[in-house]
Amino acid sequence: MKYKHLFFDLDHTLWDFDTNAKLTLQTLYKTLDLEERGIDDFERFYRQYLQHNMKLWERYRNGFIKQAELRVKRMQLSLLDFKIGDEQLAQEMSRLFLEMLPTRNTLFPYAKEILDYLTAKNYQLHLITNGFEEVQHHKISHSKINHYFNKVITSEGSNSLKPHKAIFDFALNATGAKKEESIMLGDDLEADIIGAANAGLDQVYINHVNKAPEFKATYTVYSLKELEHIF
């Protein structure tokens, strides 16, 4: 068995962020009467949120903004797309969103089955996530997958972020794993795959959305079930 330690990403890899975010925003849309406030098209609002969130996370990973700014600004910008400049509303939406989101438990198809499969084969499973410490622990707890993972490495806990080498080095030290027996599994080409490669780790690109990759990972799969062909 070449690998002993499998380091998973969480959001967009195992935990279906887009679906869970949409369900949470739909709840906020109703409870905060956002239609009455001028957001007449929820689907457009949701698409705008995803775009802003993705861009702001990229800025956060690269050190241009702080955690608190990311959390509120994604709501502020989404509201401004509908000409709503209500900072208090953005703050309230951010607070409620972060309360509700981690209680959602939609995983990608075959997530628990593949974790069972890998556990049964005696792989040591861990998480490396750029998400916030408390939020990520709530997500895995509500999704009932916390018992699969020996170590959960977050950006807050490691004081670093993927794709920077420091978070991968931190994870190896925290788990006692050697590079040659470790592999990173994730959906984000820059953060998970290129980041792991630069840290000297093999990688599995979990390409749920069938993107044309600009970097050749050690392995590429298009569903979690396909991991059975590697491990």
Side-chain angles (χ1 to χ4, degrees):
M1 194 164 74
K2 181 178 180 181
Y3 304 106
K4 290 183 181 178
H5 295 270
L6 276 54
F7 293 91
F8 276 90
D9 173 54
L10 182 61
D11 294 337
H12 305 283
T13 297
L14 295 170
W15 195 80
D16 190 343
F17 179 90
D18 289 358
T19 296
N20 290 314
K22 186 173 188 177
L23 290 168
T24 304
L25 288 171
Q26 283 175 328
T27 300
L28 291 182
Y29 188 75
K30 293 175 183 176
T31 57
L32 296 176
D33 294 322
L34 296 183
E35 186 173 9
E36 296 296 318
R37 294 172 185 258
I39 301 177
D40 57 354
D41 185 341
F42 172 78
E43 292 296 330
R44 184 163 77 88
F45 174 75
Y46 170 66
R47 290 194 300 271
Q48 294 299 110
Y49 167 82
L50 289 181
Q51 288 182 14
H52 291 308
N53 188 57
M54 181 178 65
K55 291 175 183 176
L56 288 165
W57 264 102
E58 184 176 353
R59 289 181 59 77
Y60 175 64
R61 283 200 303 266
N62 291 321
F64 294 122
I65 61 173
K66 299 295 185 184
Q67 177 191 122
E69 185 178 354
L70 184 158
R71 290 175 164 183
V72 176
K73 199 163 187 177
R74 58 191 176 184
M75 298 302 177
Q76 286 177 329
L77 293 174
S78 300
L79 290 172
L80 284 172
D81 289 334
F82 289 83
K83 298 182 171 55
I84 302 171
D86 189 332
E87 187 172 341
Q88 186 174 349
L89 176 60
Q91 292 278 358
E92 179 72 355
M93 288 177 67
S94 175
R95 183 184 67 80
L96 292 172
F97 184 78
L98 287 168
E99 282 181 9
M100 296 178 186
L101 181 65
T103 68
R104 302 289 182 186
N105 57 12
T106 302
L107 301 171
F108 279 98
Y110 212 71
K112 287 187 177 179
E113 290 86 348
I114 198 64
L115 294 174
D116 281 330
Y117 169 86
L118 295 169
T119 300
K121 296 192 77 172
N122 294 319
Y123 288 102
Q124 299 295 303
L125 308 182
H126 316 285
L127 285 171
I128 305 179
T129 169
N130 279 352
F132 311 127
E133 182 90 14
E134 184 178 358
V135 172
Q136 298 304 79
H137 279 281
H138 283 160
K139 284 177 184 176
I140 63 175
S141 177
H142 282 282
S143 301
K144 294 182 170 52
I145 58 172
N146 47 323
H147 62 284
Y148 291 109
F149 301 104
N150 295 318
K151 292 287 184 181
V152 177
I153 310 299
T154 68
S155 52
E156 283 184 285
S158 64
N159 200 30
S160 185
L161 284 159
K162 294 178 293 183
H164 301 298
K165 183 174 180 290
I167 193 169
F168 296 101
D169 290 342
F170 183 96
L172 292 173
N173 288 331
T175 57
K178 297 176 182 176
K179 287 184 182 181
E180 60 271 19
E181 61 185 19
S182 303
I183 190 166
M184 179 70 204
L185 303 90
D187 73 290
D188 191 298
L189 203 61
E190 179 187 358
D192 299 317
I193 307 308
I194 297 174
N198 290 338
L201 298 176
D202 284 356
Q203 329 88 41
V204 181
Y205 179 34
I206 301 178
N207 192 355
H208 286 299
V209 293
N210 199 17
K211 288 182 183 176
E214 300 169 1
F215 179 88
K216 184 172 175 56
T218 312
Y219 306 95
T220 297
V221 298
Y222 299 91
S223 71
L224 292 173
K225 184 166 177 55
E226 290 180 49
L227 293 175
E228 292 179 0
H229 301 315
I230 301 173
F231 303 107

